[in-house]
Amino acid sequence: AGAGAGAGAGVATMSIHNEEEKEDYLPDLDPKFRGQIRAGKRGCRPDHVWVVKDANSNGYGGIWIVSPDNINTFLNMTQRQRQSEIGNDSDSDSGNASDKMQEEVTSSSTSPLHENHRYVAQQYAWPPLLYRRRKFHIRVYAVIMNGIGKAFVHRKCFLHVANEEFNMTNTNGSGSGKNVNGNGDGESMKGAFDPAVHITNCCANSHDADKFAGEICADFDLEHDDEKDHDDEKDHDGEGIISLKEFYPSVSASVKTLAERSAPYVQGGEANGGFEYLGLDFILSYNQEDDGTRTRKPVAYLLEVNCPPSQDTATGLKHAEDLHDEVLRDLVNMWIVPNVVHVHENENRDGAMGPCGGWKCVYGDGDGDGDSDDN
């Protein structure tokens, strides 16, 4: 849903651009916008910030950002009283925290969480890679061939971008009192986070035509030169294409791990050429090397897996529709047509594959050897 948490797998290294960015600023995909959003001293991670999502929700609903400043908003009255009693029993150094808890215990509001729902909690991914000062996630397309034990990732993907410039200030600038789920009573909610800053889901943002960034095309195979203008590479509709080549190793490693760990639970497909078509959402970030080389390792944190993903665009823009068409056309040519032909001709379908197009094998025989258009 694009709130910004997850667990990453697999990294590649890149050198940082300058000491100033290393110390104080969040990284940005566009070189022209680097060094503009401060991350705090040495990019310190915000303490104890988590993203909570209702497992029963869909799209961008049922998402909250939870921190020590607003945790009591999510506790029921009994839990708040217990927290307050714990605070009162602590030593004097915790006096301020205890006072804050006691203050919120007197609130008449109830927790937005439901006792009979299940929730996923993930630590806020830090530092988030930005796009022109805004937070974003990427939608990646993958397919798992159950019957032959292979998994593929397509080279084309989307950037989905938040409507407002990024910051970690835990107040809603609009004064609406809404949290990232859009709940609130019209008054300023203590510890609320502005959804327009943290939510990157297209469905949540496309209503604001003035701020919505659109559906931005990206490519894992595209080389990008920081010295060139960021929009030098264009798709057929004249829109800029973003290079994400340095993040492909991390994305592919996550998909490989997903295929390996889900294999015991995914059955069938041997007889009919079945497959799982997936849409995966990732937050991009970096890990700092500890070897003194001043290098960063690009890492993609997996947020969630959608099976199957929606093939509708939020905008209907031609370049977005074309990307969807390319991904599905390559899937049909690689797997569906060859299997239909083999069945029609009463041949053994085992491993029947056509040209891969933009699909690359990341799991199975010859991991990573699937070059575009050649296999």
Side-chain angles (χ1 to χ4, degrees), residues 145-181:
M145 312 297 193
N146 308 334
I148 62 173
K150 289 187 177 183
F152 295 78
V153 172
H154 202 276
R155 62 179 289 180
K156 296 292 183 67
C157 61
F158 284 112
L159 261 67
H160 292 167
V161 184
N163 279 356
E164 297 287 355
E165 291 187 2
F166 182 77
N167 69 77
M168 285 301 290
T169 302
N170 55 339
T171 57
N172 187 334
S174 66
S176 66
K178 295 182 179 181
N179 60 18
V180 294
N181 188 40

Coordinates of all heavy atoms in Angstrom, one line a residue, residues 145-181:
M145 N 6.4 -19.9 -11.9 CA 6.0 -21.1 -12.6 C 6.0 -22.3 -11.7 O 7.0 -22.9 -11.4 CB 6.9 -21.4 -13.8 CG 7.2 -20.1 -14.7 SD 5.7 -19.4 -15.4 CE 6.5 -18.3 -16.7
N146 N 4.8 -22.6 -11.1 CA 4.7 -23.6 -10.1 C 5.3 -25.0 -10.6 O 6.0 -25.7 -9.9 CB 3.3 -23.8 -9.6 CG 2.7 -22.5 -9.2 OD1 3.4 -21.5 -8.8 ND2 1.4 -22.4 -9.3
G147 N 4.9 -25.3 -11.8 CA 5.1 -26.7 -12.2 C 6.6 -26.9 -12.6 O 7.1 -28.1 -12.5
I148 N 7.4 -25.9 -13.0 CA 8.7 -26.1 -13.4 C 9.7 -25.5 -12.4 O 10.9 -25.5 -12.6 CB 9.0 -25.6 -14.8 CG1 8.8 -24.1 -14.9 CG2 8.1 -26.3 -15.8 CD1 9.2 -23.5 -16.2
G149 N 9.2 -24.9 -11.3 CA 10.1 -24.3 -10.3 C 11.0 -23.2 -10.7 O 12.2 -23.1 -10.5
K150 N 10.4 -22.2 -11.4 CA 11.1 -21.0 -11.9 C 10.3 -19.8 -11.5 O 9.1 -19.8 -11.3 CB 11.3 -21.1 -13.4 CG 12.3 -22.1 -13.9 CD 12.6 -21.9 -15.4 CE 13.7 -22.9 -15.8 NZ 14.0 -22.7 -17.3
A151 N 11.1 -18.7 -11.4 CA 10.5 -17.4 -11.1 C 11.2 -16.3 -12.0 O 12.4 -16.4 -12.3 CB 10.6 -17.0 -9.7
F152 N 10.4 -15.3 -12.5 CA 10.9 -14.3 -13.4 C 10.4 -12.9 -12.8 O 9.4 -12.8 -12.2 CB 10.3 -14.5 -14.8 CG 10.8 -15.7 -15.5 CD1 10.2 -17.0 -15.2 CD2 11.8 -15.7 -16.4 CE1 10.6 -18.1 -15.8 CE2 12.2 -16.8 -17.1 CZ 11.6 -18.1 -16.8
V153 N 11.3 -11.9 -13.1 CA 10.9 -10.5 -12.9 C 11.0 -9.8 -14.2 O 11.9 -10.0 -15.0 CB 11.9 -9.9 -11.9 CG1 11.7 -8.4 -11.7 CG2 11.8 -10.6 -10.5
H154 N 10.0 -8.9 -14.4 CA 10.0 -8.1 -15.6 C 10.8 -6.8 -15.4 O 10.9 -6.3 -14.4 CB 8.6 -7.7 -16.1 CG 8.5 -7.4 -17.5 ND1 8.8 -6.1 -18.0 CD2 8.1 -8.1 -18.6 CE1 8.6 -6.1 -19.3 NE2 8.2 -7.3 -19.7
R155 N 11.5 -6.4 -16.5 CA 12.4 -5.3 -16.4 C 11.6 -3.9 -16.2 O 12.2 -3.0 -15.7 CB 13.2 -5.1 -17.7 CG 12.4 -4.9 -19.0 CD 13.3 -4.8 -20.2 NE 14.0 -3.5 -20.2 CZ 14.9 -3.2 -21.2 NH1 15.1 -4.0 -22.2 NH2 15.5 -2.0 -21.1
K156 N 10.4 -3.9 -16.6 CA 9.6 -2.6 -16.5 C 8.8 -2.6 -15.2 O 8.2 -3.6 -14.8 CB 8.6 -2.5 -17.7 CG 9.3 -2.4 -19.1 CD 10.1 -1.1 -19.2 CE 10.7 -0.9 -20.6 NZ 9.7 -0.8 -21.7
C157 N 8.7 -1.4 -14.6 CA 8.0 -1.2 -13.4 C 7.5 0.2 -13.3 O 7.8 1.0 -14.2 CB 8.8 -1.6 -12.2 SG 10.3 -0.7 -11.9
F158 N 6.8 0.5 -12.2 CA 6.2 1.9 -12.0 C 6.8 2.5 -10.8 O 7.1 1.8 -9.8 CB 4.7 1.8 -11.9 CG 3.9 1.6 -13.1 CD1 3.2 0.4 -13.4 CD2 3.9 2.6 -14.1 CE1 2.5 0.3 -14.5 CE2 3.1 2.4 -15.3 CZ 2.4 1.3 -15.5
L159 N 6.9 3.8 -10.8 CA 7.1 4.6 -9.6 C 5.7 5.2 -9.2 O 5.1 5.8 -10.0 CB 8.1 5.8 -9.8 CG 9.5 5.6 -9.4 CD1 10.2 4.6 -10.2 CD2 10.2 7.0 -9.4
H160 N 5.4 5.0 -7.9 CA 4.2 5.6 -7.4 C 4.6 6.6 -6.3 O 5.2 6.2 -5.3 CB 3.2 4.6 -6.8 CG 2.6 3.7 -7.9 ND1 1.9 2.5 -7.6 CD2 2.6 3.8 -9.2 CE1 1.5 2.0 -8.7 NE2 1.9 2.8 -9.7
V161 N 4.2 7.9 -6.5 CA 4.8 8.9 -5.7 C 3.8 9.6 -4.8 O 2.7 9.8 -5.2 CB 5.5 10.0 -6.6 CG1 6.2 11.1 -5.9 CG2 6.5 9.3 -7.6
A162 N 4.2 10.0 -3.6 CA 3.3 10.8 -2.7 C 3.0 12.2 -3.2 O 3.8 12.7 -4.1 CB 4.0 10.9 -1.3
N163 N 2.0 12.8 -2.7 CA 1.6 14.1 -3.2 C 2.3 15.3 -2.6 O 2.4 16.3 -3.2 CB 0.1 14.3 -3.0 CG -0.8 13.6 -4.1 OD1 -0.2 13.0 -5.0 ND2 -2.1 13.7 -3.9
E164 N 2.9 15.1 -1.4 CA 3.6 16.2 -0.7 C 5.0 15.8 -0.5 O 5.4 14.7 -0.4 CB 2.9 16.5 0.6 CG 1.5 16.9 0.5 CD 1.3 18.4 0.0 OE1 2.4 19.0 -0.2 OE2 0.2 18.8 -0.2
E165 N 5.9 16.9 -0.3 CA 7.3 16.7 -0.1 C 7.5 16.0 1.3 O 6.7 16.2 2.2 CB 8.0 18.0 -0.1 CG 8.1 18.7 -1.4 CD 9.0 19.9 -1.5 OE1 9.6 20.2 -0.4 OE2 9.1 20.5 -2.5
F166 N 8.5 15.2 1.3 CA 8.7 14.3 2.5 C 9.2 15.1 3.7 O 10.0 16.0 3.6 CB 9.8 13.2 2.1 CG 10.0 12.3 3.3 CD1 9.1 11.3 3.5 CD2 11.1 12.4 4.1 CE1 9.2 10.4 4.5 CE2 11.3 11.5 5.1 CZ 10.4 10.5 5.4
N167 N 8.7 14.7 4.8 CA 9.2 15.1 6.1 C 8.7 14.1 7.2 O 7.7 13.4 6.9 CB 8.8 16.5 6.5 CG 7.3 16.7 6.8 OD1 6.9 16.4 7.9 ND2 6.6 17.2 5.8
M168 N 9.3 14.1 8.3 CA 8.9 13.2 9.4 C 8.2 13.9 10.5 O 8.1 13.4 11.6 CB 10.1 12.4 9.9 CG 10.6 11.3 9.0 SD 9.3 10.1 8.7 CE 9.2 9.3 10.3
T169 N 7.8 15.2 10.3 CA 7.0 15.9 11.3 C 5.7 15.2 11.5 O 4.9 15.0 10.6 CB 6.8 17.4 10.8 OG1 8.0 18.0 10.6 CG2 6.0 18.1 11.9
N170 N 5.4 14.8 12.8 CA 4.2 14.0 13.0 C 3.0 14.9 13.3 O 2.4 14.8 14.3 CB 4.5 13.1 14.2 CG 5.0 13.8 15.4 OD1 5.5 14.9 15.4 ND2 4.8 13.1 16.6
T171 N 2.8 15.9 12.4 CA 1.5 16.6 12.5 C 1.0 16.7 11.1 O 1.7 16.7 10.1 CB 1.8 18.1 13.0 OG1 2.7 18.7 12.2 CG2 2.3 18.0 14.5
N172 N -0.3 16.8 11.0 CA -1.0 16.9 9.7 C -1.1 18.4 9.4 O -1.9 19.1 10.1 CB -2.4 16.3 9.8 CG -3.1 16.2 8.5 OD1 -2.8 17.0 7.6 ND2 -3.9 15.3 8.3
G173 N -0.4 18.9 8.4 CA -0.4 20.3 8.1 C -1.7 20.8 7.7 O -1.9 22.0 7.8
S174 N -2.6 19.9 7.2 CA -3.9 20.4 6.8 C -4.8 20.7 8.0 O -5.8 21.4 7.8 CB -4.6 19.4 5.9 OG -4.9 18.2 6.7
G175 N -4.4 20.2 9.2 CA -5.2 20.5 10.4 C -6.5 19.7 10.4 O -7.4 19.9 11.1
S176 N -6.6 18.6 9.5 CA -7.8 17.9 9.4 C -8.0 16.9 10.5 O -9.1 16.3 10.7 CB -7.9 17.1 8.1 OG -6.9 16.2 8.0
G177 N -6.9 16.6 11.2 CA -7.0 15.6 12.3 C -7.0 14.2 11.8 O -7.3 13.3 12.5
K178 N -6.8 14.0 10.5 CA -6.8 12.6 9.9 C -5.5 11.9 10.0 O -4.5 12.5 9.8 CB -7.3 12.7 8.5 CG -8.7 13.2 8.3 CD -9.1 13.1 6.8 CE -10.5 13.6 6.6 NZ -10.9 13.6 5.2
N179 N -5.5 10.6 10.3 CA -4.3 9.8 10.3 C -4.1 9.3 8.8 O -4.9 9.7 8.0 CB -4.3 8.7 11.3 CG -5.4 7.7 11.1 OD1 -6.0 7.7 10.1 ND2 -5.7 7.0 12.2
V180 N -3.2 8.4 8.6 CA -2.9 8.0 7.3 C -4.1 7.1 6.8 O -4.1 6.8 5.6 CB -1.6 7.2 7.1 CG1 -0.5 8.2 7.4 CG2 -1.5 6.1 8.1
N181 N -5.0 6.7 7.6 CA -6.2 6.0 7.2 C -7.3 6.9 6.8 O -8.4 6.5 6.4 CB -6.6 5.0 8.3 CG -7.7 4.1 7.8 OD1 -7.7 3.6 6.7 ND2 -8.7 3.8 8.7

